[in-house]
Protein backbone atom coordinates (compact mmCIF):
# COMPACT_ATOMS: atom_id res chain seq x y z
CA UNK A 1 0.00 0.00 0.00
CA UNK A 2 1.45 3.33 -1.06
CA UNK A 3 0.77 6.84 0.17
CA UNK A 4 -0.07 7.96 -3.37
CA UNK A 5 -2.65 5.20 -3.72
CA UNK A 6 -4.42 6.31 -0.55
CA UNK A 7 -4.39 9.88 -1.82
CA UNK A 8 -6.04 8.80 -5.08
CA UNK A 9 -8.57 6.63 -3.22
CA UNK A 10 -9.68 9.52 -0.98
CA UNK A 11 -9.97 11.83 -3.99
CA UNK A 12 -12.29 9.38 -5.78
CA UNK A 13 -14.27 8.76 -2.59
CA UNK A 14 -14.83 12.48 -2.11
CA UNK A 15 -15.62 13.37 -5.74
CA UNK A 16 -17.38 10.09 -6.65
CA UNK A 17 -15.87 10.57 -10.10
CA UNK A 18 -12.58 9.21 -11.49
CA UNK A 19 -11.96 12.02 -13.97
CA UNK A 20 -12.61 14.83 -11.45
CA UNK A 21 -10.48 12.98 -8.88
CA UNK A 22 -7.62 12.79 -11.39
CA UNK A 23 -7.88 16.53 -11.99
CA UNK A 24 -7.89 17.15 -8.23
CA UNK A 25 -4.62 15.27 -7.65
CA UNK A 26 -3.06 16.43 -10.94
CA UNK A 27 -2.60 13.04 -12.55
CA UNK A 28 -3.89 11.44 -15.75
CA UNK A 29 -7.15 9.55 -15.27
CA UNK A 30 -5.79 6.20 -16.60
CA UNK A 31 -2.89 6.37 -14.13
CA UNK A 32 -5.27 7.06 -11.25
CA UNK A 33 -7.49 4.16 -12.26
CA UNK A 34 -4.50 1.82 -12.47
CA UNK A 35 -3.33 2.79 -8.98
CA UNK A 36 -6.80 2.27 -7.53
CA UNK A 37 -6.94 -1.22 -9.10
CA UNK A 38 -3.46 -1.97 -7.71
CA UNK A 39 -4.65 -0.92 -4.24
CA UNK A 40 -7.70 -3.16 -4.53
CA UNK A 41 -5.50 -6.12 -5.54
CA UNK A 42 -3.22 -5.39 -2.56
CA UNK A 43 -6.18 -5.34 -0.16
CA UNK A 44 -8.01 -8.23 -1.83
CA UNK A 45 -11.30 -6.31 -2.04
CA UNK A 46 -13.11 -3.90 -4.32
CA UNK A 47 -13.27 -0.39 -2.91
CA UNK A 48 -15.79 1.08 -5.35
CA UNK A 49 -18.93 -0.08 -7.09
CA UNK A 50 -18.55 1.22 -10.60
CA UNK A 51 -21.61 2.00 -12.69
CA UNK A 52 -21.84 4.52 -15.51
CA UNK A 53 -22.17 7.92 -13.89
CA UNK A 54 -22.47 6.42 -10.41
CA UNK A 55 -19.42 5.63 -8.20
CA UNK A 56 -20.15 4.44 -4.67
CA UNK A 57 -18.05 2.95 -1.90
CA UNK A 58 -18.22 -0.72 -1.06
CA UNK A 59 -18.20 -1.86 2.56
CA UNK A 60 -14.42 -2.27 2.27
CA UNK A 61 -14.16 1.25 0.87
CA UNK A 62 -16.27 2.65 3.71
CA UNK A 63 -13.99 0.92 6.23
CA UNK A 64 -10.83 2.20 4.57
CA UNK A 65 -11.90 5.82 4.06
CA UNK A 66 -11.53 7.13 7.67
CA UNK A 67 -8.24 5.27 8.07
CA UNK A 68 -6.89 6.66 4.81
CA UNK A 69 -7.93 10.19 5.78
CA UNK A 70 -6.17 9.79 9.13
CA UNK A 71 -2.98 8.53 7.47
CA UNK A 72 -2.99 11.44 5.03
CA UNK A 73 -3.64 13.92 7.86
CA UNK A 74 -0.84 12.46 10.00
CA UNK A 75 1.51 12.66 7.04
CA UNK A 76 0.64 16.31 6.53
CA UNK A 77 1.16 16.98 10.23
CA UNK A 78 4.55 15.28 10.11
CA UNK A 79 5.54 17.32 7.06
CA UNK A 80 4.46 20.54 8.78
CA UNK A 81 6.31 19.75 11.99
CA UNK A 82 9.52 18.94 10.12
CA UNK A 83 9.18 22.13 8.09
CA UNK A 84 8.63 24.06 11.32
CA UNK A 85 11.83 22.61 12.74
CA UNK A 86 13.80 23.15 9.55
CA UNK A 87 12.57 26.73 9.46
CA UNK A 88 13.53 27.13 13.14
CA UNK A 89 9.96 27.89 14.12
CA UNK A 90 9.84 24.98 16.56
CA UNK A 91 12.02 22.44 18.33
CA UNK A 92 14.38 22.55 21.27
CA UNK A 93 18.02 22.99 22.19
CA UNK A 94 19.52 21.16 25.17
CA UNK A 95 22.50 23.21 26.32
CA UNK A 96 24.82 22.44 29.21
CA UNK A 97 26.97 25.11 30.83
CA UNK A 98 28.95 25.69 33.99
CA UNK A 99 27.15 27.88 36.57
CA UNK A 100 29.59 30.76 36.03
CA UNK A 101 28.87 30.76 32.29
CA UNK A 102 25.13 30.69 32.97
CA UNK A 103 25.66 33.84 35.03
CA UNK A 104 28.18 35.61 32.80
CA UNK A 105 28.12 34.60 29.13
CA UNK A 106 24.74 33.06 28.41
CA UNK A 107 22.08 35.64 29.34
CA UNK A 108 22.82 38.03 26.47
CA UNK A 109 23.32 35.26 23.89
CA UNK A 110 20.19 33.38 24.90
CA UNK A 111 18.14 36.57 24.84
CA UNK A 112 19.31 37.26 21.27
CA UNK A 113 18.58 33.65 20.25
CA UNK A 114 15.11 33.74 21.83
CA UNK A 115 14.30 37.07 20.16
CA UNK A 116 15.20 35.58 16.77
CA UNK A 117 13.67 32.13 17.29
CA UNK A 118 10.91 32.45 19.90
CA UNK A 119 9.47 29.03 19.04
CA UNK A 120 12.63 27.15 20.05
CA UNK A 121 12.57 25.83 23.62
CA UNK A 122 15.84 26.27 25.49
CA UNK A 123 16.62 23.57 28.05
CA UNK A 124 19.62 24.54 30.19
CA UNK A 125 21.53 22.17 32.45
CA UNK A 126 24.08 23.59 34.87
CA UNK A 127 27.03 21.47 35.95
CA UNK A 128 30.77 21.13 36.11
CA UNK A 129 32.70 20.37 32.94
CA UNK A 130 33.17 16.72 33.95
CA UNK A 131 29.43 16.21 34.42
CA UNK A 132 28.56 18.02 31.18
CA UNK A 133 31.00 15.90 29.16
CA UNK A 134 29.36 12.79 30.56
CA UNK A 135 25.88 14.11 29.68
CA UNK A 136 27.01 14.92 26.14
CA UNK A 137 28.46 11.44 25.66
CA UNK A 138 25.19 9.75 26.64
CA UNK A 139 23.14 11.98 24.33
CA UNK A 140 21.35 14.01 27.00
CA UNK A 141 22.69 17.34 25.64
CA UNK A 142 23.08 18.83 22.17
CA UNK A 143 25.83 21.30 23.09
CA UNK A 144 27.88 22.13 26.18
CA UNK A 145 30.02 25.07 27.24
CA UNK A 146 32.96 23.62 29.13
CA UNK A 147 36.36 24.65 30.43
CA UNK A 148 39.31 23.50 28.30
CA UNK A 149 41.46 21.51 28.21
CA UNK A 150 39.52 18.45 29.23
CA UNK A 151 41.21 16.42 31.98
CA UNK A 152 41.38 13.48 29.58
CA UNK A 153 41.01 13.69 25.82
CA UNK A 154 37.66 12.43 24.54
CA UNK A 155 37.58 11.34 20.88
CA UNK A 156 33.79 11.08 21.19
CA UNK A 157 33.56 14.88 21.46
CA UNK A 158 34.34 17.72 19.10
CA UNK A 159 35.43 20.91 20.85
CA UNK A 160 36.19 24.41 19.58
CA UNK A 161 37.69 27.24 21.59
CA UNK A 162 35.12 29.95 22.21
CA UNK A 163 36.93 32.54 24.32
CA UNK A 164 39.59 33.18 26.92
CA UNK A 165 38.32 34.94 29.99
CA UNK A 166 40.37 36.79 32.61
CA UNK A 167 39.84 36.01 36.27
CA UNK A 168 39.56 38.78 38.87
CA UNK A 169 39.47 39.03 42.66
CA UNK A 170 36.23 40.10 44.31
CA UNK A 171 36.01 41.34 47.89
CA UNK A 172 33.64 43.17 50.21
CA UNK A 173 33.96 46.98 49.87
CA UNK A 174 33.88 47.31 53.67
CA UNK A 175 36.90 45.02 54.09
CA UNK A 176 40.54 46.05 53.51
CA UNK A 177 41.48 45.98 49.84
CA UNK A 178 43.43 42.82 48.94
CA UNK A 179 46.96 43.31 47.66
CA UNK A 180 47.77 46.01 50.22
CA UNK A 181 45.62 48.58 48.45
CA UNK A 182 47.21 48.28 45.01
CA UNK A 183 45.10 48.56 41.85
CA UNK A 184 45.97 45.00 40.89
CA UNK A 185 46.46 41.85 42.94
CA UNK A 186 49.19 39.27 42.44
CA UNK A 187 48.50 35.62 43.18
CA UNK A 188 51.22 35.86 45.84
CA UNK A 189 49.14 38.58 47.57
CA UNK A 190 46.45 36.01 48.28
CA UNK A 191 48.73 34.33 50.82
CA UNK A 192 47.25 35.21 54.17
CA UNK A 193 43.88 36.19 52.66
CA UNK A 194 40.84 34.17 53.67
CA UNK A 195 39.36 32.72 50.49
CA UNK A 196 35.76 31.84 49.76
CA UNK A 197 36.18 28.69 47.71
CA UNK A 198 33.97 26.71 45.35
CA UNK A 199 33.04 23.08 45.87
CA UNK A 200 35.28 20.20 44.81
CA UNK A 201 35.06 19.46 41.09
CA UNK A 202 34.56 23.13 40.23
CA UNK A 203 37.02 24.22 37.53
CA UNK A 204 37.64 27.59 39.22
CA UNK A 205 38.58 25.88 42.47
CA UNK A 206 41.18 23.70 40.78
CA UNK A 207 42.61 26.64 38.82
CA UNK A 208 42.90 28.90 41.87
CA UNK A 209 44.39 26.27 44.14
CA UNK A 210 46.96 25.30 41.47
CA UNK A 211 47.96 28.97 41.01
CA UNK A 212 48.48 29.44 44.76
CA UNK A 213 50.58 26.30 45.02
CA UNK A 214 52.66 27.47 42.05
CA UNK A 215 53.49 30.54 44.20
CA UNK A 216 54.56 28.30 47.07
CA UNK A 217 51.64 28.47 49.50
CA UNK A 218 48.44 26.66 50.37
CA UNK A 219 45.30 28.83 50.17
CA UNK A 220 43.45 29.52 53.42
CA UNK A 221 39.72 28.85 53.11
CA UNK A 222 37.27 30.85 55.16
CA UNK A 223 34.37 28.89 53.71
CA UNK A 224 34.20 26.38 50.89
CA UNK A 225 31.75 24.20 49.03
CA UNK A 226 29.51 26.76 47.35
CA UNK A 227 28.22 27.33 43.82
CA UNK A 228 28.72 30.71 42.13
CA UNK A 229 25.80 32.58 43.69
CA UNK A 230 26.67 31.32 47.15
CA UNK A 231 30.34 32.29 46.78
CA UNK A 232 29.44 35.82 45.70
CA UNK A 233 26.99 36.10 48.58
CA UNK A 234 29.61 35.02 51.11
CA UNK A 235 32.06 37.57 49.72
CA UNK A 236 29.45 40.34 49.99
CA UNK A 237 28.95 39.31 53.62
CA UNK A 238 32.68 39.91 54.27
CA UNK A 239 33.65 36.28 54.85
CA UNK A 240 36.63 36.50 52.48
CA UNK A 241 37.74 37.12 48.91
CA UNK A 242 37.21 34.95 45.82
CA UNK A 243 38.69 34.52 42.37
CA UNK A 244 35.92 34.60 39.75
CA UNK A 245 35.54 35.19 35.98
CA UNK A 246 35.49 38.81 34.84
CA UNK A 247 32.08 38.46 33.15
CA UNK A 248 30.53 37.15 36.35
CA UNK A 249 32.04 39.99 38.35
CA UNK A 250 30.77 42.54 35.82
CA UNK A 251 27.22 41.20 36.02
CA UNK A 252 27.24 40.78 39.79
CA UNK A 253 29.29 43.82 40.77
CA UNK A 254 26.67 45.28 43.10
CA UNK A 255 28.00 44.97 46.63
CA UNK A 256 31.41 43.78 45.47
CA UNK A 257 34.82 45.33 44.93
CA UNK A 258 36.46 44.01 41.76
CA UNK A 259 40.27 44.00 41.52
CA UNK A 260 42.13 42.73 38.42
CA UNK A 261 44.93 40.22 38.76
CA UNK A 262 48.39 41.56 37.88
CA UNK A 263 50.02 40.21 34.73
CA UNK A 264 50.33 37.48 33.67
CA UNK A 265 47.21 36.95 35.76
CA UNK A 266 44.90 33.99 35.44
CA UNK A 267 42.47 33.10 32.70
CA UNK A 268 40.37 30.18 31.65
CA UNK A 269 39.60 28.86 28.18
CA UNK A 270 35.96 28.22 27.36
CA UNK A 271 35.10 25.68 24.68
CA UNK A 272 31.93 24.61 22.92
CA UNK A 273 31.51 20.85 22.64
CA UNK A 274 29.21 18.40 20.90
CA UNK A 275 29.29 14.71 20.07
CA UNK A 276 31.55 13.76 17.17
CA UNK A 277 29.32 10.96 15.85
CA UNK A 278 26.06 12.93 15.68
CA UNK A 279 25.54 16.34 14.10
CA UNK A 280 23.63 18.71 16.42
CA UNK A 281 20.06 19.55 15.35
CA UNK A 282 19.66 22.62 13.19
CA UNK A 283 18.41 24.77 16.07
CA UNK A 284 21.47 23.77 18.12
CA UNK A 285 23.74 24.56 15.18
CA UNK A 286 22.22 28.03 14.96
CA UNK A 287 22.84 28.63 18.67
CA UNK A 288 26.38 27.34 18.15
CA UNK A 289 26.87 29.87 15.36
CA UNK A 290 25.62 32.73 17.54
CA UNK A 291 27.93 31.73 20.37
CA UNK A 292 30.93 31.56 18.06
CA UNK A 293 30.13 34.93 16.50
CA UNK A 294 29.38 36.77 19.75
Amino acid sequence: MQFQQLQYFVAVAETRHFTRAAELVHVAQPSLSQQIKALERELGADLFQRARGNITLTDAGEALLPLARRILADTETARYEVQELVGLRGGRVRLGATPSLCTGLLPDVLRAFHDRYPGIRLLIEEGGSHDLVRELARGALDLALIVLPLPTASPALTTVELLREDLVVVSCPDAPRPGHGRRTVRIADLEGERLVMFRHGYDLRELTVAACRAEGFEPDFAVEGGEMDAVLGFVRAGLGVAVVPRMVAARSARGLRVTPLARPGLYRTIGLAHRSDVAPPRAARELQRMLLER
Side-chain angles (χ1 to χ4, degrees), residues 256-269:
L256 294 171
R257 177 198 294 123
V258 180
T259 308
L261 282 164
R263 292 184 179 181
L266 284 179
Y267 66 88
R268 63 175 183 170
T269 302

Side-chain angles (χ1 to χ4, degrees), residues 32-62:
L32 180 140
S33 296
Q34 290 173 6
Q35 289 298 319
I36 294 294
K37 290 178 180 177
L39 178 60
E40 290 175 325
R41 287 196 299 271
E42 174 72 19
L43 294 175
D46 290 337
L47 299 174
F48 298 102
Q49 292 176 347
R50 298 164 174 85
R52 185 175 296 276
N54 185 25
I55 302 296
T56 60
L57 287 166
T58 63
D59 289 344
E62 292 283 2

Side-chain angles (χ1 to χ4, degrees), residues 2-79:
Q2 299 175 10
F3 171 82
Q4 191 177 58
Q5 292 172 338
L6 293 178
Q7 190 179 30
Y8 294 170
F9 163 72
V10 170
V12 174
E14 291 178 346
T15 61
R16 302 300 169 106
H17 197 282
F18 277 80
T19 300
R20 286 198 293 270
E23 293 172 352
L24 186 65
V25 296
H26 308 291
V27 67
Q29 189 270 328
S31 296
L32 180 140
S33 296
Q34 290 173 6
Q35 289 298 319
I36 294 294
K37 290 178 180 177
L39 178 60
E40 290 175 325
R41 287 196 299 271
E42 174 72 19
L43 294 175
D46 290 337
L47 299 174
F48 298 102
Q49 292 176 347
R50 298 164 174 85
R52 185 175 296 276
N54 185 25
I55 302 296
T56 60
L57 287 166
T58 63
D59 289 344
E62 292 283 2
L64 178 62
L65 183 59
L67 299 174
R69 283 174 170 158
R70 187 186 313 161
I71 292 170
L72 295 177
D74 287 346
T75 302
E76 185 62 24
T77 299
R79 179 184 294 112

Side-chain angles (χ1 to χ4, degrees), residues 5-272:
Q5 292 172 338
L6 293 178
Q7 190 179 30
Y8 294 170
F9 163 72
V10 170
V12 174
E14 291 178 346
T15 61
R16 302 300 169 106
H17 197 282
F18 277 80
T19 300
R20 286 198 293 270
E23 293 172 352
L24 186 65
V25 296
H26 308 291
V27 67
Q29 189 270 328
S31 296
L32 180 140
S33 296
Q34 290 173 6
Q35 289 298 319
I36 294 294
K37 290 178 180 177
L39 178 60
E40 290 175 325
R41 287 196 299 271
E42 174 72 19
L43 294 175
D46 290 337
L47 299 174
F48 298 102
Q49 292 176 347
R50 298 164 174 85
R52 185 175 296 276
N54 185 25
I55 302 296
T56 60
L57 287 166
T58 63
D59 289 344
E62 292 283 2
L64 178 62
L65 183 59
L67 299 174
R69 283 174 170 158
R70 187 186 313 161
I71 292 170
L72 295 177
D74 287 346
T75 302
E76 185 62 24
T77 299
R79 179 184 294 112
Y80 175 76
E81 289 186 357
V82 170
Q83 289 173 345
E84 285 284 291
L85 183 58
V86 170
L88 294 178
R89 295 189 296 274
R92 70 177 184 187
V93 178
R94 301 170 300 170
L95 175 67
T98 64
S100 59
L101 290 171
C102 287
T103 302
L105 171 66
L106 281 184
D108 290 340
V109 176
L110 294 186
R111 181 182 61 193
F113 182 86
H114 178 71
D115 289 346
R116 187 175 300 180
Y117 307 111
I120 303 292
R121 289 186 299 131
L122 294 166
L123 306 178
I124 308 300
E125 179 170 332
E126 290 187 76
S129 293
H130 299 82
D131 296 333
L132 297 177
V133 166
R134 187 164 53 249
E135 292 299 289
L136 269 177
R138 75 179 186 89
L141 296 173
D142 301 312
L143 300 170
L145 290 164
I146 59 176
V147 178
L148 298 176
L150 295 173
T152 54
S154 176
L157 297 182
T158 296
T159 60
V160 58
E161 183 175 320
L162 188 64
L163 61 93
R164 291 192 177 191
E165 183 180 15
D166 292 334
L167 304 184
V168 297
V169 176
V170 291
S171 57
C172 176
D174 297 332
R177 182 184 290 272
H180 310 290
R182 290 191 296 270
R183 290 178 176 267
T184 60
V185 178
R186 300 171 303 168
I187 294 296
D189 294 330
L190 297 180
E191 185 174 12
E193 292 281 357
R194 305 296 306 283
L195 296 185
V196 177
M197 185 50 66
F198 300 96
R199 61 171 172 81
H200 284 282
Y202 222 88
D203 301 289
L204 289 169
R205 177 191 181 107
E206 297 170 5
L207 188 59
T208 303
V209 170
C212 292
R213 288 174 177 168
E215 291 293 327
F217 69 95
E218 285 291 322
D220 180 16
F221 299 153
V223 59
E224 60 178 313
E227 300 281 352
M228 181 60 68
D229 288 343
V231 166
L232 296 176
F234 295 151
V235 172
R236 288 190 186 95
L239 290 171
V241 305
V243 178
V244 302
R246 183 182 293 276
M247 281 189 292
V248 172
R251 279 191 168 272
S252 309
R254 185 176 179 182
L256 294 171
R257 177 198 294 123
V258 180
T259 308
L261 282 164
R263 292 184 179 181
L266 284 179
Y267 66 88
R268 63 175 183 170
T269 302
I270 305 302
L272 188 59

